[in-house]
Amino acid sequence: MPDLEAAAARVVAGDAQAFGDIVEGTSQGLVRLAARLVGSVPDAEDVVQDAYVSAYRALVAGRFDARSSVKTWLYRIVTHRAIDALRSTARRPVGTDQLDEMAVAPATTPEAHLALVELSQWLEVLPPEQRAAVVLHSVQGFSSHETAEILGCSEGAVEQRLVRARATLRSRRGAA
Amino acid sequence: MTFRTEESYDARAQRLGRATDGLGPSPGFHARVLAAIAREPVGWWSVVTPLAGRVLPVLVVLALLASAAAWQAASDTQQALAVPYGSLEVEW
């Protein structure tokens, strides 16, 4: 695992190649998180690529204030990009091309792909913010504090989202 | 699909978390990202543009303050002109 803080400092100093170390050290976890949020690996890769470009621009312009670690900062950018993607997906109807794309998603194993489909179907009734809280806290295993830091809200707001999400999922299961 | 109606929220979340641990980027993803980064403009413009975002609000505030000061000065002048001076009797 490359030293992300050192790599970020090198990018700030003008070494664009150092960004490759950041990508190498974080892409696995970020694509996994984004896939759990948006429900497909190709969409997750788009989200993470956009997030990397935003992060690079911020580093070059000196807008990374290092108040959190580089890893947490990237998780925050990816999560918010994924929430935006979920919102825009909710507004437009799913076309057949998207269904085809999901069917051929290059997940690492067929079992992982099936589990991703199940996760996506389980959480599809939740608003994007609640879905993000469930994925970060209950699926990824982050603490309430870490989840709040990534989502940019209070721990109380995280707990509230989780309570509402659980209630929605429970009522859906009861209705099934 | 292994949906189990008796499975609790926590158990299901943890099971799906473990089952999706193997997810990751496709083989060409790193190269794709680095190519996108390489297309990013470098040089003074990439530094000036974000700085403009910070300087612009300050300039707007300064412009508003200058407008207020100019309006106040014009108002004082109008007031001074409106004050009646002692009339001058002109004797013929």
Side-chain angles (χ1 to χ4, degrees), chain A residues 25-50:
Chain A
T26 57
S27 62
Q28 177 85 24
L30 291 177
V31 169
R32 185 166 54 223
L33 167 66
R36 285 166 172 167
L37 285 167
V38 299
S40 94
V41 174
D43 287 346
E45 288 184 344
D46 289 344
V47 163
V48 174
Q49 181 177 325
D50 286 349

Side-chain angles (χ1 to χ4, degrees), chain A residues 9 17-18 23 28 36 40 42 66 89 94 98 157:
Chain A
Q17 301 297 320
V23 174
Q28 177 85 24
R36 285 166 172 167
S40 94
T89 305
V94 177
Q98 285 171 275

Side-chain angles (χ1 to χ4, degrees), chain A residues 19-20 23-24 27-28 31-32 35-36 41 45-46 48-49 52-53 56-57 60-63 106-108 111-112 115-119 121-122 134 138-139 162 166 169 173, chain B residues 1-10 12-27 29-30 32-34 36-37 39-42 46-47 50-51 54:
Chain A
F19 200 79
V23 174
E24 187 192 332
S27 62
Q28 177 85 24
V31 169
R32 185 166 54 223
R36 285 166 172 167
V41 174
E45 288 184 344
D46 289 344
V48 174
Q49 181 177 325
Y52 275 136
V53 171
Y56 177 76
R57 286 177 186 157
V60 168
R63 280 188 277 121
T108 307
E111 291 79 14
L116 184 62
V117 171
E118 184 187 344
L119 179 65
Q121 289 175 345
W122 183 41
V134 168
S138 305
V139 178
L162 290 171
R166 279 171 187 260
L169 294 172
R173 193 173 66 178
Chain B
M1 207 65 55
T2 54
F3 179 72
R4 304 153 199 174
T5 50
E6 74 280 6
E7 193 177 25
S8 73
Y9 166 91
D10 288 321
R12 193 174 189 193
Q14 286 167 14
R15 175 175 62 80
L16 291 173
R18 282 192 303 274
T20 52
D21 262 346
L23 292 172
S26 53
F29 181 67
H30 285 195
R32 202 178 99 187
V33 170
L34 295 181
I37 296 297
R39 283 195 298 272
E40 282 295 296
V42 288
S46 61
V47 177
L51 280 179
R54 295 180 194 175

